[in-house]
């Protein structure tokens, strides 16, 4: 084997290694949005669904055929360690009719002496209920800024999809827990 042939093989191997490394880097950057998309579509890990008003209207029509079945929804709230807010649900539980829109509120108060911007992460337990828990409006869709000492009531408009009644994995589920955790917004670290 000549030196020129060996150099070409080494250059080709190096090119494949660089392309492989770039592909892995690209997959690394794409993994979070792809995982989020997967969770939203499947409800994996208790990820709730985002619904429109028209989706809720369809669900309400389907609920009529569900015979008025109800389910208990428990509301949970917490804050990250570095978040100087008090955060709680207005009520700990509610019994809702499957397929019918309902609303709850959470109360947040900034206990610090500076404005704080926060963002809420959420999930639903049991995990298989995530694909059937649909939020129409939620404070978790946008960042929230509270002034020092400010207290706000933040609504969540939601419904439980009647399709949950046909899912064998939902048999025996009597309560769904909607849980939120408030964190400082990433761009608000100077606060």
């Amino acid at each position: 084997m000549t030196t020129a042939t060996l150099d070409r093989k080494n250059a080709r191997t190096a090119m494949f290694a660089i392309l492989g490394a770039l592909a892995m880097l690209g997959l690394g950057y794409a993994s979070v949005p792809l995982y989020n998309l997967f969770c939203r579509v499947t409800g994996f890990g208790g990820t709730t669904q985002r619904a429109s008003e028209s989706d809720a209207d369809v669900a309400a029509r389907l609920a009529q055929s569900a015979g008025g079945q109800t389910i208990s929804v428990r509301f949970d709230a917490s804050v990250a360690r570095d978040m100087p807010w008090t955060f709680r649900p207005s009520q700990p539980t509610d019994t809702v009719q499957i397929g019918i829109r309902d609303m709850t509120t959470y109360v947040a108060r900034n206990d610090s002496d500076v404005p704080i911007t926060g963002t809420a992460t959420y999930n639903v337990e049991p995990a298989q209920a995530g694909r059937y828990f649909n939020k129409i409006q939620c404070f978790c869709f946008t960042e929230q800024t509270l002034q020092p000492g400010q207290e706000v009531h933040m609504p969540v408009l939601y419904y439980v999809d009647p399709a949950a009644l046909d899912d064998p994995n939902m048999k025996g589920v009597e309560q769904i827990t909607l849980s939120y955790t408030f964190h400082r917004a990433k761009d608000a670290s100077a606060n």
Side-chain angles (χ1 to χ4, degrees):
M1 191 176 292
T2 67
T3 303
T5 305
L6 188 57
D7 286 345
R8 276 194 305 265
K9 284 186 175 188
N10 287 342
R12 190 171 74 197
T13 301
M15 182 60 70
F16 282 129
I18 289 170
L19 288 174
L22 289 174
M24 296 305 282
L25 182 67
L27 282 174
Y29 278 105
S31 64
V32 171
L34 289 174
Y35 180 74
N36 287 337
L37 177 64
F38 170 77
C39 290
R40 281 194 313 271
V41 169
T42 65
F44 181 75
T47 302
T48 62
Q49 304 302 303
R50 194 167 178 174
S52 68
E53 288 285 343
S54 61
D55 294 334
D57 292 338
V58 169
R61 285 193 294 278
L62 292 172
Q64 292 173 348
S65 64
Q69 292 188 39
T70 60
I71 191 162
S72 173
V73 179
R74 186 173 87 72
F75 305 104
D76 180 52
S78 63
V79 293
R81 287 187 202 149
D82 67 337
M83 188 65 160
W85 284 12
T86 302
F87 179 54
R88 64 177 174 77
S90 294
Q91 62 185 26
T93 61
D94 193 12
T95 300
V96 300
Q97 186 176 344
I98 293 177
I100 301 299
R101 277 179 278 210
D102 204 348
M103 186 177 81
T104 191
T105 58
Y106 282 76
V107 180
R109 186 180 70 239
N110 181 351
D111 296 324
S112 75
D113 57 358
V114 296
I116 302 284
T117 300
T119 185
T121 58
Y122 54 87
N123 71 336
V124 169
E125 288 293 329
Q128 68 267 28
R131 72 181 321 173
Y132 302 110
F133 197 94
N134 293 271
K135 291 188 283 185
I136 301 165
Q137 293 177 350
C138 182
F139 58 87
C140 61
F141 296 157
T142 59
E143 292 181 346
Q144 306 295 319
T145 301
L146 298 183
Q147 298 303 312
Q150 181 183 11
E151 181 174 290
V152 295
H153 292 257
M154 300 179 294
V156 179
L157 186 60
Y158 68 94
Y159 68 94
V160 178
D161 191 326
L165 298 171
D166 299 326
D167 186 342
N169 292 322
M170 289 293 291
K171 298 292 184 223
V173 174
E174 296 176 0
Q175 186 174 65
I176 297 173
T177 300
L178 175 61
S179 182
Y180 289 98
T181 301
F182 252 106
H183 305 269
R184 279 184 186 255
K186 291 194 187 295
D187 59 346
S189 59
N191 290 337

